[in-house]
Amino acid sequence: MKLQRMNRRALTLGALAVSGALALTACGSDDTGSGNGDNTSAAAPAAGSIKCDDAKGQLLADGSSAQKNAIDAWVKNFTQACKGVQVNYKGSGSGAGVTAFTQGQVAFAGSDSALKPEEITASKQVCSGGQGIDLPMVGGPIAVAYNVSGVDNLVLDASTIAKIFDGKITNWNDAAIKKLNPEAKLPDLKIQPYHRSDESGTTDNFTKYLIATAKADWPYEGGKAWQAKGGQSAAGSSGVAQGVKQTNGAIGYMELSYAKDGLGTVAIDTGAAAPVKASSDGATKAIADAQVVGTGSDLALKINYATKADGAYPITLVTYEIVCDKGNKADSLPATKAFLRYIASEEGQGILSGIDYAPIPDTIIAKVRTTIEGLS
């Protein structure tokens, strides 16, 4: 997908180094978007295209590690334009982010799952006269990444994926995998499935896909906490990616931006004309089929994980920025609105495809922009 055209006033484009791997949750990352040497790049917006208004001071946020690479890119652009603001986003996971928000520790949180009713109730304690709302801001495919020597292409369906992660299929030359990959040289090798150890919206969305498409093979309720037995665990998407990279025979789920450097990604047999690999374009096609199920200014979405549309990648998540609709702290409100305004803008959304994320479809992001302007 091509990046959206920058503002006409653009005179220069700057290379933006984006972090390709995060610190583990246990390390308590406080990355402010300076990057760590990854070669991924995105276009910076033109000088003056970001509205800083009265934004100043330190803006604290926490949550989804799925969106951390996007946040890093946005923070670098925003803080270059708004010199008086420091944005500190800790990618501690969706569960940690929501907890920090409902305890009043952060101005906004990132979460790959919309707020639950009890979390909305808790948010009213910190949003004076208001409540927490979900603003969809980042889309992205959850890749099923693997490390199996000699296997460059791999097709799996929902049932097989469910059985692998539930320990019912334990070897790479299992008959079910062979049937889906008749030309692959599958080794007699133990499967090592990796899952998240922390509460994660990535886990929530991955298991929602399994529940929607392979319920008979995935007898769990789902949620941010991993429920199946066995397998290896790691903190954060970066931790899962690292574990899979280091283990021949491993497989794990992670955002596409982490499925790099020698990892293969599974093509999903959805019943469409051809198996679908994780891609930004495929994720956008899936999100476009989502429904807004939030009420009022809340824009929570319901994704069709069982889609069979050609080219639509089914294991797709939307990361929300969670913020008070009313009752935001006066000292952080200007910076919160300015930052959210930028990341929802054409410029902000325009960098996502280039760093393996999916822009939110126009009809939805237009509602997000309107809601941001009304925050108080």
Side-chain angles (χ1 to χ4, degrees), residues 53-365:
D53 293 336
D54 298 322
K56 59 184 178 180
Q58 187 176 56
L59 186 61
L60 299 178
D62 195 2
S64 166
S65 66
Q67 70 167 358
K68 183 64 163 54
N69 289 338
I71 290 284
D72 284 350
W74 284 330
V75 166
K76 185 161 188 176
N77 281 353
F78 181 78
T79 54
Q80 283 178 345
C82 303
K83 303 294 186 180
V85 183
Q86 179 185 0
V87 182
N88 185 342
Y89 180 87
K90 293 184 178 181
S92 303
S94 297
V98 172
T99 297
F101 177 75
T102 57
Q103 292 180 351
Q105 298 171 358
V106 294
F108 72 90
S111 177
D112 310 321
S113 301
L115 290 168
K116 297 178 181 178
E118 61 269 25
E119 293 169 339
I120 292 175
T121 299
S123 74
K124 294 179 180 179
Q125 300 298 313
V126 295
C127 301
S128 180
Q131 66 177 50
I133 57 172
D134 302 286
L135 301 179
M137 202 71 75
V138 186
I142 300 173
V144 181
Y146 66 95
N147 176 8
V148 181
S149 296
V151 179
D152 297 324
N153 295 289
L154 185 66
V155 176
L156 297 175
D157 58 16
S159 175
T160 306
I161 293 171
K163 290 176 181 177
I164 286 172
F165 280 90
D166 198 27
K168 297 172 184 173
I169 292 178
T170 58
N171 204 285
W172 280 109
N173 64 356
D174 187 274
I177 302 177
K178 283 184 176 180
K179 185 177 180 179
L180 291 164
N181 300 272
E183 298 181 2
K185 295 182 179 179
L186 297 166
D188 182 7
L189 177 68
K190 182 181 178 181
I191 297 175
Q192 301 275 8
Y194 273 78
H195 60 265
R196 291 281 289 271
S197 60
D198 53 320
E199 287 199 357
S200 161
T202 310
T203 294
D204 191 16
N205 283 273
F206 179 65
T207 56
K208 280 179 179 176
Y209 161 73
L210 296 178
I211 291 168
T213 56
K215 181 62 178 174
D217 300 307
W218 192 255
Y220 304 102
E221 295 180 358
K224 294 177 184 176
W226 184 256
Q227 296 173 339
K229 306 298 182 183
Q232 308 293 324
S233 65
S237 296
S238 60
V240 172
Q242 184 179 29
V244 176
K245 285 179 186 179
Q246 294 175 345
T247 309
N248 186 29
I251 187 170
Y253 58 92
M254 65 198 73
E255 293 69 42
L256 182 58
S257 61
Y258 295 94
K260 305 284 188 181
D261 303 328
L263 293 182
T265 58
V266 170
I268 307 296
D269 183 350
T270 65
V276 186
K277 271 202 168 188
S279 71
S280 296
D281 184 51
T284 297
K285 288 180 179 178
I287 296 168
D289 193 33
Q291 295 179 323
V292 176
V293 294
T295 58
S297 55
D298 186 277
L299 296 174
L301 302 176
K302 181 179 180 180
I303 294 176
N304 179 14
Y305 296 98
T307 181
K308 296 181 180 178
D310 288 343
Y313 185 74
I315 319 176
T316 293
L317 62 75
V318 170
T319 290
Y320 302 94
E321 310 313 332
I322 295 171
V323 66
C324 295
D325 57 356
K326 299 177 183 178
N328 288 278
K329 294 179 180 178
D331 58 350
S332 60
L333 178 59
T336 299
K337 289 184 71 170
F339 183 67
L340 294 180
R341 181 187 295 120
Y342 162 60
I343 69 179
S345 70
E346 183 176 345
E347 292 90 345
Q349 291 289 299
I351 73 172
L352 292 177
S353 297
I355 52 176
D356 294 319
Y357 290 98
I360 301 298
D362 290 343
T363 54
I364 299 173
I365 202 67

